Amino acid sequence: MSIPTQWTPTHGDAYRPVPYRPERMSAAESLVRAAELRERMGRRRTVRQFSPDPVPEQVVRDAIACAATAPSGAHQQPWTFVLVKDAGVRRRIRAAAEEEEQLSYAGRLGEEWLAALRPLGTDEVKPHLTDAPALIVVFQQRYWLGEDGEKRKHYYVDESVGIAVGMLLSALHLSGLAALVHTPSPMRFLSEVLGRPVNEKAFAVIPVGYPAPDCEVPDLVRKSLDQVLVEV
């Protein structure tokens, strides 16, 4: 087994390929695993009512590690995951988020966006930010910033971080935890509260935990496969 090495910027390095020979899964096993995964992911729901019960921290760390395996533009891995467990910091995030949300729901969003949100039952009150025992605040690195102030542009940042967040949600769900993607707008306060560097921009806040005993979710129907798949 190879020993993991610390990542350093590879900008301008020569191409150095290494062998990749994963074990090929049989068609029969692949079908079984795909069906099981489809069924398990079909049970995933966005949760806004969380139990305060603690969750195994290593499960969350492992889910973040899974997210960090996501593909990224030029393999620049332009993400930072801030795991917020401190109750005081979570209260500060909630207070700042609700201040922005009050403006949004009071008219900043516009009626069309508010109408789209209405079936979800959301409003400016965000108890999930303090009820959930942990928050994962995802930041996108708009550029690499060296210790000496050197900058190098990152590419396909939105796409890369979006894929990583999708993998994070999947990993959390498959590990038995519930989550929510919260995107207060604007989100500059997150950089200030969490002391992030100038090259990072907040992308999403993800509360993580177990659903509350009285948790409810909207009565929604997902599009069927034939509504989202086009085969040519």
Side-chain angles (χ1 to χ4, degrees):
M1 179 182 294
S2 62
I3 299 175
T5 56
Q6 188 72 23
W7 180 86
T8 56
T10 57
H11 185 90
D13 287 1
Y15 173 58
R16 295 192 302 270
V18 295
Y20 179 60
R21 307 288 186 271
E23 182 179 352
R24 184 167 180 172
M25 188 181 299
S26 70
E29 184 178 359
S30 184
L31 285 166
V32 170
R33 289 200 184 186
E36 290 176 348
L37 182 60
R38 179 177 179 178
E39 194 275 332
R40 291 184 66 188
M41 290 303 296
R43 296 199 299 268
R44 189 204 63 79
R45 294 299 305 262
T46 292
V47 166
R48 291 181 171 83
Q49 296 168 287
F50 286 88
S51 165
D53 294 343
V55 298
E57 290 185 11
Q58 190 57 45
V59 172
V60 180
R61 293 192 186 98
D62 285 342
I64 293 172
C66 289
T69 69
S72 60
H75 192 56
Q76 293 171 323
Q77 305 164 86
W79 42 62
T80 301
F81 303 89
V82 180
L83 179 58
V84 183
K85 298 173 289 182
D86 183 89
V89 177
R90 287 187 282 119
R91 284 194 296 269
R92 289 178 63 194
I93 290 175
R94 176 178 175 180
E98 289 185 338
E99 184 176 345
E100 294 294 347
E101 295 285 9
Q102 286 168 3
L103 295 174
S104 295
Y105 279 88
R108 187 167 61 184
L109 291 178
E111 179 53 35
E112 185 175 0
W113 184 215
L114 289 173
L117 289 173
R118 204 160 289 132
L120 304 180
T122 62
D123 57 28
E124 67 273 17
V125 183
K126 306 299 179 184
H128 47 264
L129 295 175
T130 49
D131 289 348
L135 305 177
I136 301 172
V137 185
V138 185
F139 288 86
Q140 50 181 202
Q141 301 170 7
R142 306 308 300 179
Y143 53 89
W144 175 77
L145 183 63
E147 293 182 0
D148 59 356
E150 180 187 5
K151 296 180 181 180
R152 292 200 184 279
K153 182 180 178 180
H154 283 167
Y155 299 91
Y156 299 104
V157 174
D158 292 340
E159 295 86 347
S160 302
V161 178
I163 293 169
V165 167
M167 292 178 63
L168 175 60
L169 295 175
S170 298
L172 291 168
H173 171 68
L174 294 173
S175 300
L177 300 180
L180 158 73
V181 178
H182 180 54
T183 53
S185 179
M187 292 193 282
R188 288 187 295 271
F189 67 87
L190 289 166
S191 295
E192 298 169 3
V193 171
L194 298 173
R196 301 311 306 158
V198 295
N199 65 319
E200 294 185 359
K201 178 182 178 183
F203 186 83
V205 183
I206 303 177
V208 178
Y210 299 113
D214 59 349
C215 180
E216 295 180 332
V217 295
D219 185 12
L220 302 178
V221 177
R222 292 189 172 102
K223 292 181 179 180
S224 62
L225 183 60
D226 64 341
Q227 289 178 297
V228 301
L229 172 64
V230 177
E231 298 190 56
V232 180

